[in-house]
Amino acid sequence: MPDLTHGEDADAVNALRSSVMRLSRRLKHQRVDESLSPTEMSVLGTLARCGTATPGELARKEHVQPPSMTRIVALLEAKGLVRLEPHPEDRRQKVVTQTEEAEAMLEESRSKRNAWLASLAAELDEEEWAKVRAAAPVLERLAHL
């Protein structure tokens, strides 16, 4: 593996960090429901991708402490976006499931963000867009390392 901390590679790493952070911040502002925090939206997104999970599993996936996840789940439950159900194998635990309302809200949010991003991408020329398309799977991999 090359040393990415010096020279042109370090400049590329810096530019990638900066641009991903700026784009992420701008995407976060394209929300459908302003009453949900970015963390709450992230938890709903994790449930949409991964399915039902215990609060402990969600805490690990979201990189937060279990007590914090318990509070987040309680807030989402109070808003009618998740429900807690008995764990199928361990009755001492609960599993978190998103509601149909959460699914609809996430779909609307995805559509709004995709439309916003598509409008930005429409400003790119064909060569730039081809590079973004080619980079998308690599960025996806980086996001999940």
Side-chain angles (χ1 to χ4, degrees), residues 86-107:
H87 192 284
E89 295 151 11
D90 183 352
R91 294 291 181 190
R92 296 171 297 170
Q93 289 195 59
K94 299 279 186 187
V95 292
V96 183
T97 305
Q98 72 176 5
T99 63
E100 288 180 11
E101 183 181 341
E103 289 175 28
M105 188 201 58
L106 282 172
E107 182 54 39

Side-chain angles (χ1 to χ4, degrees), residues 66-141:
S68 295
M69 184 55 65
T70 299
R71 286 189 297 278
I72 293 165
V73 168
L75 289 168
L76 291 171
E77 184 180 32
K79 294 175 183 179
L81 298 172
V82 300
R83 63 182 169 273
L84 288 168
E85 300 169 335
H87 192 284
E89 295 151 11
D90 183 352
R91 294 291 181 190
R92 296 171 297 170
Q93 289 195 59
K94 299 279 186 187
V95 292
V96 183
T97 305
Q98 72 176 5
T99 63
E100 288 180 11
E101 183 181 341
E103 289 175 28
M105 188 201 58
L106 282 172
E107 182 54 39
E108 185 180 352
S109 181
R110 253 184 244 111
S111 293
K112 181 179 180 182
R113 289 174 184 195
N114 285 349
W116 177 81
L117 197 51
S119 73
L120 288 182
E123 299 295 317
L124 301 175
D125 63 33
E126 284 297 321
E127 184 179 334
E128 289 171 323
W129 178 236
K131 289 176 183 176
V132 170
R133 274 196 323 268
V138 177
L139 292 171
E140 179 72 16
R141 184 167 183 270

Side-chain angles (χ1 to χ4, degrees), residues 8-83:
E8 289 180 16
D9 286 333
D11 292 343
V13 167
N14 187 54
L16 177 62
R17 177 199 48 77
S18 177
S19 59
V20 166
M21 287 178 63
R22 188 174 306 111
L23 187 58
S24 176
R25 276 195 304 272
R26 291 181 68 195
L27 270 169
K28 285 178 186 174
H29 290 293
Q30 303 299 315
R31 296 189 318 195
V32 171
D33 187 334
E34 294 290 327
S35 71
L36 294 178
S37 72
T39 302
E40 291 169 324
M41 285 295 291
S42 181
V43 169
L44 291 176
T46 295
L47 287 170
R49 278 188 311 280
C50 302
T52 299
T54 66
E57 291 167 338
L58 284 173
R60 280 189 296 284
K61 289 177 182 183
E62 292 294 315
H63 306 285
V64 299
Q65 294 300 313
S68 295
M69 184 55 65
T70 299
R71 286 189 297 278
I72 293 165
V73 168
L75 289 168
L76 291 171
E77 184 180 32
K79 294 175 183 179
L81 298 172
V82 300
R83 63 182 169 273

